[in-house]
Amino acid sequence: MRASVTPEDDRPVIAVANRLPLHRGEDGWELAPGGLVTALRPVMAAHPGAWVGWDGGTKGMPTTLPDSRVSLLPIALSAAQVRDYYRGFANATMWPLLHNAIEKPRFERSWWNAYQEVNRVFADRAQAAADEHPDAITWVHDYHLMMVPQLIRNQRPEAPIGFFLHVPWPSPDIYARLPWREQILWGLLGADVVAFHTDDYRYNFLRSCVRQLADSGLEVRGSGVVLPDGRTVTTATAPISIDAGEFASFAAEPEVKDGIAALEDQFAGRVLLLGADRLDYTKGIIERLLAVEMLLERDPEMRTSVAFLQLAVPSRDDVREYRQLRGIVEQHVGRINGRFTQPGSDVPVHYLYRGLSPQQLAAYYAAADVLLVTPLIDGMNLVCKEYVTVQQAAGGSGALVLSEFTGAAVELPQAVLCNPFDVEGLSYRIEQAIALKPDARRKALAAMAEQVRVHDVHAWVSGQLTLIAARGAAAAGNRR
Ligand code: ADQ
């Protein structure tokens, strides 16, 4: 792992995120999968400090993160808090609301009360960590903890605080449906920097501030929000990325090479289409399956010349909407295979419902001819960045079908962009990607891999920490 080269190099960082980054795997404690942990690994490797997060109910977690100077500060949640704060307010109110309400957000007073209570616990623990590291930058993450910046600010007026939102910010009209819309905005505005993946999300946030809080005397000036007490909160656009060097290096590992060879053998003579997602209703998995079904319906030859492999990481299966989604996906897979499997031939749709190691994933990425990334809405989407990086490193010529409703589409316009709400249109886009000439595929792949290589997660981390430190120092200077 490459060290970060920020001028803030050795400054302590207190990361505050819903989950601690370890979970118990087959071989003991391992780094947990998922976008946020992947993104924060470089911070943890390069900086001393602490990580505040829920322990997920596990016992005996190490007190420091292996190979780092980061203490792990576990928060224990009661069963009622898990139900109301985590499954309820975070995952059944804020997640769907911030994802354009594509599933209807549920509003419950008791969930909101639990959210505030748990945010207070996180803020208190972060402050205890700041007592140990008085010059630390506090970096709060995501929609679970939107009240935390202001709670810390109340206690530590001069602390540099950053907040990063890993999901979209919807239009002000959708955000306005939230009964606690003002409180959440004030919670976020406790930070010195509030950052988003795209300009669109950032503008939506600024417009929500004006719409909900203008009566307070708050003003938006350029990218800043000037609060009634004169303090300025900076908003920033900072598209998150991956550790491109590390993903590229997987392609040369013997275990990965063996995995690629096995997959190439298994799918020999077929064009391999791949999907890889957390099993989430935002990811457009059903639309993708329906589009593949249309393709097979239209072109009988494809029933034996194409295979679609969907990898799904189990996710939030204690939330009703997620359990339902799993059932629907499995029904579609069964129906499509029932309709189109040819006697004596392999099934057209393969479905794996399990978590994989990054190396196993890399083998799938390298072996796939086309990656289908078709979310209905997605803050960024790291899977497509991982795919182009591994393909390029493995000398492949894979094509990427990418939903225009992802943050990644802003950075990767060379992909075959698609609108997953139009299922028939999506099926034509997949066809188009399959038919792309090798030269065109290679050219697009090289441009996308270069974008990810230059704008990797190390650059993201150092940019964010430098900005938070600078804005924090400026705000503290203004108060003196
Ligand atoms: P997620 O919704 O989790 O992240 P994404 O960015 O695609 O979505 O990250 C998923 C991660 O899971 C990837 O790093 C991928 O390697 C991994 N993964 C996929 N399939 C897997 C499998 N079968 N087993 C194990 N791991 C697997 C949220 C937001 C995104 C945003 C990130 C980071 O919803 O929009 O990009 O945070 O900010």
Side-chain angles (χ1 to χ4, degrees), residues 33-39 95 99 142-143 164-168 197 201 240-242 247 275-278 280 282-283 311-316 352-358 360-361 365 373 375 377-384 386 406-407 460:
L36 195 137
V37 173
T38 313
W95 175 270
H99 287 88
D142 229 2
Y143 62 98
F164 190 83
L165 187 68
H166 290 260
V167 298
H197 290 304
Y201 307 157
I240 204 168
S241 194
I242 60 165
F247 260 94
D277 318 74
R278 265 188 321 99
D280 194 294
T282 58
K283 301 288 183 183
L311 309 174
V313 197
S315 181
R316 305 178 195 167
L352 273 63
Y353 177 69
R354 73 199 66 151
L356 302 169
S357 70
Q360 287 171 316
L361 261 181
Y365 290 148
V373 177
I377 176 164
D378 205 343
M380 169 54 63
N381 191 279
L382 296 179
V383 167
C384 57
E386 295 166 356
T406 60
W460 178 79

Side-chain angles (χ1 to χ4, degrees), residues 265-466:
D265 202 33
Q266 184 186 353
F267 293 102
R270 289 186 167 210
V271 174
L272 181 58
L273 313 178
L274 178 72
D277 318 74
R278 265 188 321 99
L279 191 62
D280 194 294
Y281 52 77
T282 58
K283 301 288 183 183
I285 299 170
I286 292 175
E287 289 71 9
R288 190 181 310 162
L289 281 164
L290 293 175
V292 168
E293 183 173 25
M294 275 192 175
L295 207 64
L296 301 181
E297 206 165 55
R298 251 196 332 265
D299 186 346
E301 210 174 278
M302 286 211 186
R303 296 171 197 173
T304 49
S305 67
V306 168
F308 172 46
L309 169 59
Q310 175 64 50
L311 309 174
V313 197
S315 181
R316 305 178 195 167
D317 52 9
D318 43 10
V319 176
R320 184 177 70 202
E321 287 79 359
Y322 288 78
R323 276 194 306 277
Q324 286 169 349
L325 174 71
R326 181 181 172 192
I328 297 169
V329 165
E330 290 176 0
Q331 270 175 23
H332 284 303
V333 171
R335 191 193 61 255
I336 300 170
N337 281 336
R339 282 185 73 190
F340 297 122
T341 304
Q342 303 298 303
S345 175
D346 201 6
V347 291
V349 179
H350 295 244
Y351 174 65
L352 273 63
Y353 177 69
R354 73 199 66 151
L356 302 169
S357 70
Q359 281 84 353
Q360 287 171 316
L361 261 181
Y364 284 104
Y365 290 148
D369 299 293
V370 181
L371 180 75
L372 306 180
V373 177
T374 61
L376 305 176
I377 176 164
D378 205 343
M380 169 54 63
N381 191 279
L382 296 179
V383 167
C384 57
K385 293 189 170 183
E386 295 166 356
Y387 176 73
V388 296
T389 301
V390 172
Q391 272 285 323
Q392 180 72 2
S397 58
L400 171 64
V401 174
L402 178 61
S403 163
E404 57 190 83
F405 302 100
T406 60
V410 178
E411 290 182 271
L412 306 177
Q414 301 83 0
V416 177
L417 294 177
C418 70
N419 167 10
F421 293 92
D422 168 18
V423 170
E424 187 178 352
L426 175 58
S427 78
Y428 294 123
R429 290 310 212 177
I430 299 173
E431 212 166 57
Q432 178 189 339
I434 293 173
L436 275 178
K437 297 272 181 294
D439 266 6
R441 286 164 167 256
R442 287 217 167 79
K443 206 166 145 215
L445 189 63
M448 294 189 285
E450 179 66 2
Q451 165 72 24
V452 177
R453 191 184 67 74
V454 174
H455 301 277
D456 71 354
V457 74
H458 299 282
W460 178 79
V461 166
S462 79
Q464 282 288 281
L465 291 181
T466 304

Side-chain angles (χ1 to χ4, degrees), residues 78-397:
S78 68
Q81 286 172 328
V82 174
R83 183 190 63 212
D84 295 344
Y85 148 78
Y86 179 67
R87 291 205 293 271
F89 200 79
N91 285 334
T93 303
M94 290 317 291
W95 175 270
L97 180 87
L98 295 172
H99 287 88
N100 261 350
I102 55 160
E103 276 285 339
K104 209 164 177 201
R106 290 189 265 150
F107 301 130
E108 299 278 347
R109 260 67 189 164
S110 57
W111 294 356
W112 165 238
N113 292 338
Y115 185 80
Q116 295 175 90
E117 175 187 289
V118 171
N119 272 235
R120 244 174 266 125
V121 174
F122 274 78
D124 289 347
R125 188 59 67 83
Q127 285 182 63
D131 290 339
E132 304 275 304
H133 302 283
D135 61 336
I137 293 172
T138 300
W139 201 11
V140 184
H141 290 264
D142 229 2
Y143 62 98
H144 313 84
L145 300 173
M146 295 199 280
M147 303 300 284
V148 168
Q150 186 59 45
L151 291 166
I152 297 177
R153 176 72 61 213
N154 292 343
Q155 301 301 320
R156 292 183 174 259
E158 311 234 323
I161 304 171
F163 180 91
F164 190 83
L165 187 68
H166 290 260
V167 298
W169 191 279
S171 79
D173 240 11
I174 287 189
Y175 180 70
R177 296 180 194 179
L178 181 69
W180 309 283
R181 56 205 186 182
E182 294 178 6
Q183 291 98 313
I184 293 279
L185 287 172
W186 287 126
L188 291 171
L189 291 169
D192 294 295
V193 175
V194 181
F196 304 86
H197 290 304
T198 71
D199 279 338
D200 279 350
Y201 307 157
R202 188 165 65 79
Y203 296 151
N204 282 343
F205 172 76
L206 290 172
R207 286 159 60 219
S208 292
C209 288
V210 171
R211 173 162 165 169
Q212 307 303 154
L213 306 178
D215 285 352
S216 69
L218 161 154
E219 271 180 53
V220 169
R221 284 194 211 142
S223 60
V225 182
V226 184
L227 303 183
D229 68 1
R231 190 168 68 83
T232 297
V233 181
T234 301
T235 63
T237 300
I240 204 168
S241 194
I242 60 165
D243 190 335
E246 185 181 53
F247 260 94
S249 73
F250 290 153
E253 287 185 14
E255 176 200 338
V256 177
K257 285 186 158 167
D258 290 348
I260 301 171
L263 287 166
E264 283 175 349
D265 202 33
Q266 184 186 353
F267 293 102
R270 289 186 167 210
V271 174
L272 181 58
L273 313 178
L274 178 72
D277 318 74
R278 265 188 321 99
L279 191 62
D280 194 294
Y281 52 77
T282 58
K283 301 288 183 183
I285 299 170
I286 292 175
E287 289 71 9
R288 190 181 310 162
L289 281 164
L290 293 175
V292 168
E293 183 173 25
M294 275 192 175
L295 207 64
L296 301 181
E297 206 165 55
R298 251 196 332 265
D299 186 346
E301 210 174 278
M302 286 211 186
R303 296 171 197 173
T304 49
S305 67
V306 168
F308 172 46
L309 169 59
Q310 175 64 50
L311 309 174
V313 197
S315 181
R316 305 178 195 167
D317 52 9
D318 43 10
V319 176
R320 184 177 70 202
E321 287 79 359
Y322 288 78
R323 276 194 306 277
Q324 286 169 349
L325 174 71
R326 181 181 172 192
I328 297 169
V329 165
E330 290 176 0
Q331 270 175 23
H332 284 303
V333 171
R335 191 193 61 255
I336 300 170
N337 281 336
R339 282 185 73 190
F340 297 122
T341 304
Q342 303 298 303
S345 175
D346 201 6
V347 291
V349 179
H350 295 244
Y351 174 65
L352 273 63
Y353 177 69
R354 73 199 66 151
L356 302 169
S357 70
Q359 281 84 353
Q360 287 171 316
L361 261 181
Y364 284 104
Y365 290 148
D369 299 293
V370 181
L371 180 75
L372 306 180
V373 177
T374 61
L376 305 176
I377 176 164
D378 205 343
M380 169 54 63
N381 191 279
L382 296 179
V383 167
C384 57
K385 293 189 170 183
E386 295 166 356
Y387 176 73
V388 296
T389 301
V390 172
Q391 272 285 323
Q392 180 72 2
S397 58

